[in-house]
Amino acid sequence: MTTDAGLPSVRESLQLALLAEPEGSPLVDELAEAAADHYHLNYSKHPVPVLFREVRETRTLLAGLLTPGEEGTELHRQVGRLSGLLGNLAFHLDDPAGARIHLGTAVAYASRCGDAALAAWAYGAQSMVARSTGNLTSAFAYAERGAAAAPGGLVRAQLHAWALLPTLAQQGRDREATAALEVALTELEADPVGQAPGRFGFDEPELALHQAEAHLTLGRTDQARARAEASAAACTPGTPGWAAATIVLAQAEASETPSDAAQRPLDVLDQVPPSRLRATARTRLVRLEGLLAARPAEYVADLRERLRTLPPPVDASGAALA
């Protein structure tokens, strides 16, 4: 794994290749793909602000090779992938406006190159961003667009579980949410591989997390608890996926076992440094604190103190967003 200190070397090697072949070449295309692969496969291994800066600078390098009006090329596809990553990173930096712009660019380049899987993923990410801001109408429209564009198998499973399912659940459309989940399960089962790593990938722990949050939204506490437990158990402790599932599990436990619900986020805060705590995790923690607000103080005093003293999030430059 490339360390945070070594991450810039990926961009620097690409820059050296561009100095040798400033007009671009098949080798430059290959190295651009390798860089995008590296960023998406190691997305969760680096602090979000650090990775944002590197992906942005790499995209800037490649943008200098693009010619206005040129037909879609492999280089255009990599610019689209990097734009998608920037959109997701902006979302994790609590910058929904920036995320919308980057993801829109990803859709444009994916469409230009005929990359249906990337276009579908970018629509799904746009749905996620719209949902986070409470714009469920746009979230549903993006989710439908992504599901329609998605190739069968893993990508279609992802779009139904990540985009359609949570949006329908938040709209209170129980029957349609259940149908979306059934499609996701069927498509995942039909896929010959059944999982793919990285930010553009999808697997059963992520599916279980989306199930848990949808069940929680629809008031199915027991089912939410079971799916969140399964997701957390399948993740490596300390990773973003584990943190998300653990906090959702705590949310599902808040009404019946508040002491457990208050302890789980403390475990997350012990294992995940503030610099690696995504905006989405912070949002889930705030929601959990609200669910525990009416509980006896002894259950939640430690959690409230930890949240009160939690360092503020930072933006892409590393500056605090106090």
Side-chain angles (χ1 to χ4, degrees):
M1 180 186 83
T2 299
T3 64
D4 294 345
L7 185 62
S9 65
V10 174
R11 168 180 48 80
E12 290 162 359
S13 288
L14 179 59
Q15 188 170 16
L16 288 170
L18 289 174
L19 289 174
E21 311 214 24
E23 302 301 319
S25 68
L27 173 62
V28 170
D29 291 348
E30 181 181 341
L31 293 178
E33 181 181 29
D37 284 347
H38 180 82
Y39 297 139
H40 102 80
L41 291 173
N42 294 284
Y43 186 101
S44 295
K45 297 176 182 177
H46 299 286
V48 174
V50 172
L51 189 57
F52 184 96
R53 291 193 296 272
E54 286 304 314
V55 174
R56 182 188 62 201
E57 292 187 26
T58 297
R59 188 182 65 165
T60 299
L61 285 176
L62 297 180
L65 298 178
L66 301 181
T67 302
E70 184 181 22
E71 290 189 8
T73 65
E74 181 60 24
L75 205 58
H76 285 89
R77 191 172 82 87
Q78 301 313 323
V79 168
R81 294 175 74 205
L82 294 171
S83 297
L85 290 173
L86 284 177
N88 215 110
L89 288 160
F91 178 69
H92 285 146
L93 287 166
D94 198 20
D95 179 13
R100 286 179 57 199
I101 295 169
H102 297 310
L103 292 169
T105 301
V107 169
Y109 278 88
S111 300
R112 184 170 189 166
C113 298
D115 190 331
L118 176 59
W121 181 91
Y123 284 132
Q126 286 178 314
S127 178
M128 171 185 68
V129 173
R131 196 166 59 246
S132 74
T133 62
N135 189 345
L136 296 183
T137 300
S138 290
F140 181 66
Y142 282 129
E144 279 198 311
R145 203 173 300 167
L154 198 67
V155 180
R156 189 171 296 165
Q158 182 180 34
L159 265 293
H160 278 79
W162 171 42
L164 276 172
L165 172 61
T167 303
L168 290 165
Q170 286 193 25
Q171 290 178 323
R173 297 159 67 177
D174 192 319
R175 183 178 301 178
E176 292 166 277
T178 299
L181 175 57
E182 288 173 355
V183 172
L185 292 168
T186 300
E187 292 288 343
L188 190 63
E189 184 177 355
D191 191 274
V193 178
Q195 62 179 357
R199 181 46 36 183
F200 298 125
F202 189 64
D203 56 21
E204 289 191 1
E206 184 181 345
L207 171 60
L209 174 63
H210 299 317
Q211 282 181 272
E213 292 201 290
H215 286 317
L216 199 57
T217 299
L218 293 167
R220 306 167 184 166
T221 306
D222 290 342
Q223 291 166 281
R225 183 186 300 115
R227 299 315 296 151
E229 275 188 315
S231 181
C235 295
T236 301
T239 60
W242 169 84
T246 300
I247 299 169
V248 172
L249 175 57
Q251 292 173 354
E253 294 173 328
S255 61
E256 295 183 6
T257 54
S259 58
D260 290 342
Q263 180 58 48
R264 293 190 191 281
L266 294 177
D267 294 340
V268 170
L269 294 173
D270 284 342
Q271 295 205 44
V272 182
S275 65
R276 292 177 180 263
L277 198 64
R278 294 175 178 173
T280 45
R282 291 172 181 265
T283 298
R284 290 185 175 105
L285 286 168
V286 170
R287 189 176 301 134
L288 174 61
E289 186 181 22
L291 292 172
L292 292 169
R295 296 295 162 179
E298 63 266 23
Y299 288 130
V300 296
D302 288 347
L303 174 60
R304 286 174 180 156
E305 179 62 17
R306 288 291 295 275
L307 293 179
R308 186 185 69 79
T309 59
L310 186 66
V314 299
D315 62 18
S317 68
L321 293 172

